[in-house]
Amino acid sequence: MDDLVLSSIATRQDDIISIDRLIEWFDISEEDVGNLQSLTEIADDVADDTIDAFYEHILKFEEAAAKFADGATLERVKAGQKRYFRELVHCELGENYLEERRRIGQIHERAGIGPSLYIGAFGFYLQRLARSLQDQNALDSEQALSRFLSLVKVAHLDMAQALETFVGAREATIERQQNEISDLPTPVLQLREGLLLIPVVGAVDGRRARRLTIELLDAIREKRARAVVLDITGVSAVDSAVANNLIQTMAAARLMGAYPVLTGVKPDVAQALVKIGVNESSLNTSGELQSGIRAAESRIGA
Amino acid sequence: MELVPILRQGDVLIISIMTALSDKDILHLQNRVLDKTCKSGVTGVVVDVSALDVIDSFSSKTIIDMAHAVRLLGAQTVVVGIQPEVALAMVLLGLTISDVPTALDLDLGIALLKEGRPHAAE
């Protein structure tokens, strides 16, 4: 069950490493955990001061001030941050902890809080805590240092988790946007009997080009097309792989017996085509849609 | 009995390949088609491959050779019925048979031959 929850939270499945492995990786020993837990009281004392000072500090920056425009939000975030730091020193490193850290990474990503702000806040807190450790009369400097070093270890583990999720969430967003591009529909229109028109609009990536190919070839068979006009006036840019794909589509259309016409080729597309060694003859290119349709019509005798 | 029948319809020969042919079989078919084109004096040859779900490079090459030879005998060849998947596979293999006319099916193939005939006006 824990695994299930985890995998739904962490966006990149591959990055899910068990907490035991992480503890090993960050070299966190029982002693470190003990060290941290002995800091609970100090940390609680420091937390309020630190957080107040921290927000005083960041509210000097316009972009941060805009995020915490109303007082209620600020209080809520402060309370959340206090809990966050308390969990850090309580140091109950289990699957629940991991899950929580990953969730927090996602919240940061959604709220548009970048790594600089997040790590900045962390650094600010660590410095404050280091100072107050030094000021503890009960600890000699060796003890204070070893406690601080334990804190640094766990803090890094902690930051790593939040950042993993942060990056994962970003990647998921990018992937989703890419899929949206790939899923842009490309209608195959029947202009008249035997003549198909495919207006391609927007960005074309490899996946979209492949789907276009299949849809076009199927439409040729279904509609008994004798000519197809592929209009790429609305295509912003093609790389050579996609250009190659378009050419292959047209060659395949011809094999099926449909006369292919390519229209609306722009200068950069023309260059991409030349680069992959296409000569104009097999494409029956026509400057604009209108003349392309005319060429196709005269070909099929319409 | 021959694997692929060669039918005559008016002045068009119709070759309907129903199953994938071995190299030997397709070479044999080529010889028979050229022989029959020469003897019957037809003006067109239609090669129907609509039943094939794969066309290998040797078959493509042989069909192209045959089309060129048919032209030398004074007739035209049209390849009809290349299926979408086959068309795509052929393109990916670089088998574009670009100088042989193609048509969607037998009907359109024969129509194309009629259009393209030098004496279509009569």
Side-chain angles (χ1 to χ4, degrees), chain B residues 22-24 26-27 55-63 95:
Chain B
S22 69
D23 292 0
K24 195 173 136 236
I26 192 131
L27 285 173
I55 297 180
D56 63 32
S57 56
F58 188 79
S59 300
S60 310
K61 192 184 166 300
T62 310
I63 291 172
L95 311 168

Side-chain angles (χ1 to χ4, degrees), chain A residues 17-26 93-95 98:
Chain A
I17 309 166
S18 75
I19 183 72
D20 296 337
R21 291 281 295 170
L22 283 171
I23 290 172
E24 249 176 84
W25 175 251
F26 283 89
L93 303 176
E95 294 292 346
L98 266 194

Side-chain angles (χ1 to χ4, degrees), chain A residues 216-253:
Chain A
L216 172 60
L217 297 184
D218 283 345
I220 289 173
R221 178 167 59 178
E222 254 166 55
K223 304 249 163 72
R224 289 174 52 88
R226 282 172 292 149
V228 291
V229 178
L230 188 69
D231 179 59
I232 58 170
T233 312
V235 175
S236 40
V238 292
D239 58 23
S240 52
V242 170
N244 197 21
N245 222 313
L246 290 177
I247 304 317
Q248 290 172 342
T249 305
M250 301 199 58

Side-chain angles (χ1 to χ4, degrees), chain A residues 224 226, chain B residues 12 46 78 80 103 105-117 120:
Chain A
R224 289 174 52 88
R226 282 172 292 149
Chain B
V12 174
V46 179
V78 180
V80 304
D105 55 22
L106 195 56
D107 217 16
L108 291 172
I110 290 173
L112 189 68
L113 282 175
K114 296 227 158 96
E115 277 169 29
R117 264 199 293 168

Side-chain angles (χ1 to χ4, degrees), chain A residues 43-289:
Chain A
D44 273 351
D45 284 347
V46 176
D48 280 324
D49 276 359
T50 310
I51 289 168
D52 283 337
F54 174 68
Y55 280 96
E56 205 174 295
H57 172 67
I58 67 165
L59 287 177
K60 283 184 236 152
F61 299 90
E62 270 173 44
E63 54 272 43
K67 285 199 203 312
F68 303 114
D70 73 290
T73 312
L74 186 59
E75 284 312 311
R76 197 161 43 82
V77 174
K78 277 184 180 180
Q81 199 148 15
K82 189 173 177 190
R83 199 170 56 242
Y84 189 96
F85 287 138
R86 187 179 298 150
E87 280 169 14
L88 187 71
V89 290
H90 276 228
C91 208
E92 282 163 16
L93 303 176
E95 294 292 346
N96 283 340
Y97 160 83
L98 266 194
E99 194 180 302
E100 178 65 16
R101 276 347 187 204
R102 285 176 173 151
R103 193 179 65 83
I104 286 167
Q106 279 198 327
I107 291 173
H108 280 94
E109 199 274 338
R110 243 179 278 144
I113 297 170
S116 295
L117 207 59
Y118 171 75
I119 293 179
F122 226 121
F124 196 89
Y125 173 74
L126 287 181
Q127 286 175 40
R128 287 285 178 132
L129 200 64
R131 281 265 167 256
S132 61
L133 267 177
Q134 201 184 25
D135 296 344
Q136 296 293 314
N137 295 326
L139 299 172
D140 62 38
S141 68
E142 175 53 36
Q143 281 173 319
L145 180 65
S146 75
R147 276 169 179 66
F148 183 69
L149 289 179
S150 300
L151 181 67
V152 167
K153 279 186 193 173
V154 176
H156 279 96
L157 165 72
D158 206 88
M159 276 190 262
Q161 295 323 298
L163 286 184
E164 287 281 5
T165 318
F166 186 87
V167 172
R170 281 268 164 106
E171 277 176 4
T173 309
I174 293 168
E175 197 184 322
R176 203 187 60 239
Q177 283 167 346
Q178 266 170 349
N179 286 345
E180 274 167 17
I181 291 174
S182 304
D183 290 342
L184 280 177
T186 309
V188 179
L189 310 170
Q190 186 163 25
L191 215 52
R192 60 196 305 160
E193 208 194 315
L195 175 54
L196 297 179
L197 168 65
I198 304 99
V200 189
V201 177
V204 182
D205 64 2
R207 212 175 87 172
R208 189 177 178 207
R210 276 192 297 280
R211 219 188 46 207
L212 173 72
T213 308
I214 293 163
E215 282 174 10
L216 172 60
L217 297 184
D218 283 345
I220 289 173
R221 178 167 59 178
E222 254 166 55
K223 304 249 163 72
R224 289 174 52 88
R226 282 172 292 149
V228 291
V229 178
L230 188 69
D231 179 59
I232 58 170
T233 312
V235 175
S236 40
V238 292
D239 58 23
S240 52
V242 170
N244 197 21
N245 222 313
L246 290 177
I247 304 317
Q248 290 172 342
T249 305
M250 301 199 58
R254 200 204 69 87
L255 280 178
M256 289 186 64
Y259 179 74
V261 181
L262 183 68
T263 68
V265 178
K266 279 186 287 195
D268 52 343
V269 178
Q271 277 179 327
L273 291 177
V274 172
K275 212 175 279 171
I276 59 171
V278 172
N279 64 339
E280 176 273 339
S281 61
S282 60
L283 297 175
N284 314 309
T285 43
S286 208
E288 48 183 69
L289 181 60

